[in-house]
Amino acid sequence: MTEKMVDRVFRLMKEPTQIRNIGIAAHIDHGKTTFSDNLLAGAGMMSEDLAGKACVLDFHADEQERGITIDSASVSMVHEFKEKEFLINLIDTPGHVDFGGDVTRAMRAVDGAIVLSCASEGVMPQTETVLRQALRERVKPILFINKVDRLIKELKLTPEAMQERFIKIIDHVNELIKSIAEKEYGSKWSINVNEGSVAFGSAFHNWALSIPYMKEKGLTFKDVIEAYEADDEDKVKELAKKAPLHEVVLNMVIDHHPDPVVAQEYRIPKIWYGDINSDIGKSLKTCDSKGKMAFIAIKIVVDKHAGEVAMGRLFSGTVKQGDEVYMNGLKKTVRVQQVNVYNGAKREMVEGAVAGNIVGLVGLRGVYSGETVSSEEMDPFEAIKHIFDPVITKAVEAKRPSDLPKLVEVLKQVSKEDPTIKIEINEETGEHLMSGMGELHLEVVENRIKTEKGVDLHSSPPIVVYRETITASSTREGEGKSPNKHNRLYFKVEQLEPEIAKAIKDGNLPEMRLRKKDTEVMKMIKELGYDSKESRDVKEIYNGNLLLDRSRGIVHIGEIMEMVQDMFEDVMRSGPIANEPCFGVKVSLMDAKLHEDAIHRGPAQLYPAVREGIREAISMAKPLIYEPIQTLMFEAPVEYMGEISKLVQNKRGQLLDMQQERSMVTVKAKLPVGEMFGLSSELRSATGGRGTSFVVDQAFERLPDELQHKIVSQIRSRKGLKTEE
């Protein structure tokens, strides 16, 4: 009897050197899900005739309706290479920028990425973004150039012209790897056709070629061109039999991607800031299945039968059904009810799993994405840093008052399933706010709440999330007095140094509360220009802001520091101008006069004092509102060039670049998010439905002075705050 796939997976799970954890990432519509289908078909997990049409890993109804991937999906399969079996854990990720958070989280769980690029469109902005997400997590990329058939059938290129096109794409990807990756990986991880870290093919027609495979099987590009020029479907099918996509690509994966033991050696120091020489540190670095258990959740799916299923990577130790584990963020102990391996939408139960695998755990009540789960308390993994922040908010309310408790429950579930959705539930005003990456992102989530969670809701028109910052240093120290008048704290604020701000944004400086033992982080701060005394003063990095303790000789400072940090976070979440989040602010505690008796300096006294002191200091530092700006790429036929530039200018936008390639024009422009509502429909009507746009980058820039007062008044009145005179 043939061995069942789940039994083969279970057998190979115990051999870390025979495991490859990989993610598929690319620009939207470059063929990722069709590509994944073919890999599954090759592993015998679906019919070959359905591959590319079934989109097995797009198992949500809305993904099939829209024809795009919204969630990342995981699957485990077995592949034979050089007479040896390998377990491949594969995650298919979304390409649309609104769902980029899923790509970032998937990259934490994998060690290698297959980056797809369309042969005719080449490297696109989102290809660059996914490469950045992979390299930031020290995930090694390889390249698959898809849709090669288009070069022959549509563009009718000669073999020489095709070769030129491939070289251009490969060089472009190598340039990106060199500029994004850390120094020691830039040249080490560059891709090379002759070594076989690049493959070409057509996911739709299920064939692929790489140089090593061509040499082994005696195939040439001539065979491909002839198959298509004959315009005979059977010839293309024959090509797919000679050079099946799954075989070529998975051979390339096994050859060029590291196994968990090799990968964790260099990935752990990047994603975990604990002591590498401790027992757990050594166990993580060597992927030791006998060490203490450490798991990071990267995706939470709420299953109506099993409850919350946490999918993630087991970096150390072994996990079995019935084990007691500790959730480091939530600080509680829970029991694992089930251990699962993935097969697209299906989860298969297994008894247990060892380090180096991607698994699902059931029973972790309240777990969220990014949570570190371990056999005992440990330093958590570095927070998963998303490339873009939520910039659009909607207020939602249940249509039927009786659904209100259910809505609150569902919103909490949604923020767990997709951590890039920020949910704010205001118990006092009864307002529920949902913030996301863009209009499509919020639309999809709203739709899922209605169809999958069964709650009918009203939603407000979208609102933009602004930021507050300062443009000078505070003129004097801001004083905060406790309600009992026994404690006084003095704060000063300054603009954060650009080097530090950039390091936080790029994810090189972790956002965390610092303790004496975090010497590595202090060393990084020192390298960025602080002297050793000042780097020791840094107490917390939060949302792109810094808290320093510059006070000297205060006896009880250690006892109140956590309260100062709590309120520093509170003010950074809602600043003094309009209760919007702050960024780029450096807050220093200069001095404090504290009551001798601990009972008189509890949270009820210190919280208001800290909050008042920091807010007063900010108000003296010329605070201003910054608005979110997105850099977009527009593509349309050349004749619509004028329409696009008119559209950009009408929306307070700024044209950055315009390039023409044959009959198409590509326009790069910066637009304020506040002016972008309805942009996609306006673009469609301006270009006769032939224009497309996608986000390349996002930043916050100063809101023009003439709009400052108007926007602040609008936000304050919307939030029910006193409008300033």
Side-chain angles (χ1 to χ4, degrees), residues 2-53:
T2 53
E3 196 181 3
K4 276 168 66 182
M5 179 59 84
V6 68
D7 297 328
R8 292 172 77 191
V9 167
F10 190 56
R11 178 166 50 79
L12 287 166
M13 280 172 86
K14 301 181 177 99
E15 304 290 337
T17 52
Q18 279 161 264
I19 297 174
R20 298 290 183 274
N21 295 312
I22 58 169
I24 298 178
H27 186 74
I28 190 165
D29 279 343
H30 276 199
K32 290 180 299 300
T33 303
T34 310
F35 179 80
S36 312
D37 272 8
N38 281 315
L39 296 184
L40 292 182
M45 296 172 83
M46 65 181 281
S47 132
E48 290 197 14
D49 299 337
L50 286 175
K53 301 171 190 73

Side-chain angles (χ1 to χ4, degrees), residues 477-725:
E477 290 173 10
E479 180 188 50
K481 292 196 277 274
S482 60
N484 64 10
K485 307 283 187 289
H486 291 318
N487 305 283
R488 290 165 192 260
L489 292 102
Y490 299 90
F491 292 94
K492 189 177 179 200
V493 299
E494 302 152 84
Q495 286 172 286
L496 190 59
E497 295 80 358
E499 304 78 40
I500 299 271
K502 187 178 184 308
I504 297 172
K505 188 172 189 279
D506 293 346
N508 298 332
L509 256 189
E511 302 209 351
M512 61 193 285
R513 291 186 175 189
L514 293 170
R515 292 174 299 218
K516 276 199 180 94
K517 62 174 186 165
D518 295 316
T519 48
E520 278 300 303
V521 183
M522 289 176 194
K523 205 166 109 191
M524 284 186 225
I525 295 171
K526 210 167 148 186
E527 281 164 14
L528 289 163
Y530 279 27
D531 59 35
S532 53
K533 185 161 143 283
E534 201 174 14
S535 64
R536 281 198 303 273
D537 288 345
V538 177
K539 291 292 171 215
E540 183 168 8
I541 304 169
Y542 180 77
N543 273 2
N545 303 287
L546 231 62
L547 172 69
L548 286 85
D549 172 21
R550 286 180 170 162
S551 62
R552 295 289 175 261
I554 293 160
V555 183
H556 305 295
I557 199 75
E559 294 166 38
I560 68 153
M561 192 41 71
E562 277 204 9
M563 291 184 266
V564 173
Q565 288 170 325
D566 288 347
M567 281 304 104
F568 161 70
E569 287 174 16
D570 184 72
V571 178
M572 294 305 112
R573 275 194 302 270
S574 57
I577 312 179
N579 279 12
E580 295 286 278
C582 295
F583 79 105
V585 181
K586 180 173 158 186
V587 177
S588 303
L589 172 65
M590 304 304 286
D591 198 2
K593 293 179 178 135
L594 303 170
H595 196 281
E596 282 297 299
D597 196 341
I599 207 159
H600 292 302
R601 47 182 161 82
Q605 301 301 329
L606 280 180
Y607 278 179
V610 176
R611 197 188 296 126
E612 187 189 314
I614 297 176
R615 282 174 163 248
E616 189 184 315
I618 290 176
S619 63
M620 293 185 287
K622 299 187 180 161
L624 276 180
I625 291 279
Y626 271 48
E627 63 176 341
I629 300 276
Q630 288 186 340
T631 305
L632 285 100
M633 277 292 206
F634 295 94
E635 279 188 342
V638 165
E639 60 266 30
Y640 296 110
M641 190 153 58
E643 295 295 329
I644 290 179
S645 57
K646 207 187 310 171
L647 185 67
V648 170
Q649 278 150 3
N650 288 347
K651 293 191 169 290
R652 272 203 298 122
Q654 183 186 340
L655 286 168
L656 301 175
D657 188 22
M658 209 175 254
Q659 281 181 359
Q660 188 178 334
E661 198 175 315
R662 290 192 297 280
S663 62
M664 296 296 280
V665 66
T666 307
V667 178
K668 193 176 183 185
K670 272 201 312 197
L671 286 139
V673 172
E675 306 284 341
M676 275 170 55
F677 299 126
L679 177 73
S680 47
S681 53
E682 284 177 50
L683 177 66
R684 277 198 297 273
S685 58
T687 59
R690 294 169 69 193
T692 55
S693 72
F694 34 86
V695 180
V696 186
D697 200 5
Q698 179 184 300
F700 285 89
E701 292 186 7
R702 185 174 175 156
L703 183 69
D705 291 349
E706 60 274 16
L707 291 173
Q708 286 276 345
H709 185 70
K710 178 184 160 198
I711 297 288
V712 170
S713 305
Q714 276 175 8
I715 303 171
R716 291 186 72 90
S717 68
R718 190 186 78 231
K719 291 185 177 178
L721 303 168
K722 276 190 283 197
T723 44
E724 293 167 327
E725 295 309 314

Side-chain angles (χ1 to χ4, degrees), residues 62-217:
D62 52 1
E63 296 184 291
Q64 287 159 9
E65 239 168 72
R66 293 169 191 267
I68 59 172
T69 301
I70 291 168
D71 291 318
S72 53
S74 174
V75 63
S76 301
M77 57 189 158
V78 176
H79 178 65
E80 211 167 294
F81 178 61
K82 293 182 181 166
E83 292 170 8
K84 208 172 175 189
E85 283 189 319
F86 288 87
L87 169 63
I88 312 266
N89 293 318
L90 168 116
I91 300 181
D92 177 32
T93 65
H96 195 290
V97 70
D98 279 13
F99 311 106
D102 256 45
V103 184
T104 308
R105 293 190 295 280
M107 289 306 159
R108 174 60 57 94
V110 299
D111 305 317
I114 305 175
V115 177
L116 260 69
S117 171
C118 169
S120 64
E121 291 183 0
V123 175
M124 301 293 271
Q126 196 60 20
T127 320
E128 186 175 332
T129 308
V130 295
L131 257 174
R132 179 165 279 127
Q133 286 164 310
L135 293 166
R136 181 189 262 188
E137 293 275 338
R138 281 196 193 155
V139 168
K140 185 182 180 183
I142 56 178
L143 178 68
F144 180 75
I145 299 176
N146 194 15
K147 305 191 184 184
V148 171
D149 52 307
R150 288 182 63 185
L151 301 186
I152 307 165
K153 289 192 323 200
E154 293 172 26
L155 302 176
K156 305 213 180 324
L157 296 187
T158 61
E160 292 74 30
M162 279 167 68
Q163 199 173 341
E164 243 171 68
R165 174 75 59 109
F166 294 150
I167 290 169
K168 194 174 155 193
I169 293 175
I170 294 163
D171 287 349
H172 192 161
V173 170
N174 274 334
E175 267 169 43
L176 289 173
I177 292 173
K178 253 197 181 86
S179 64
I180 299 167
E182 296 150 283
K183 275 194 193 79
E184 66 264 43
Y185 299 102
S187 48
K188 194 162 84 177
W189 282 359
S190 62
I191 50 173
N192 184 315
V193 183
N194 296 322
E195 286 172 10
S197 51
V198 180
F200 317 88
S202 161
F204 191 70
H205 293 134
N206 200 359
W207 63 269
L209 288 174
S210 66
I211 300 283
Y213 196 86
M214 286 154 84
K215 282 179 184 161
E216 188 191 327
K217 303 280 182 184

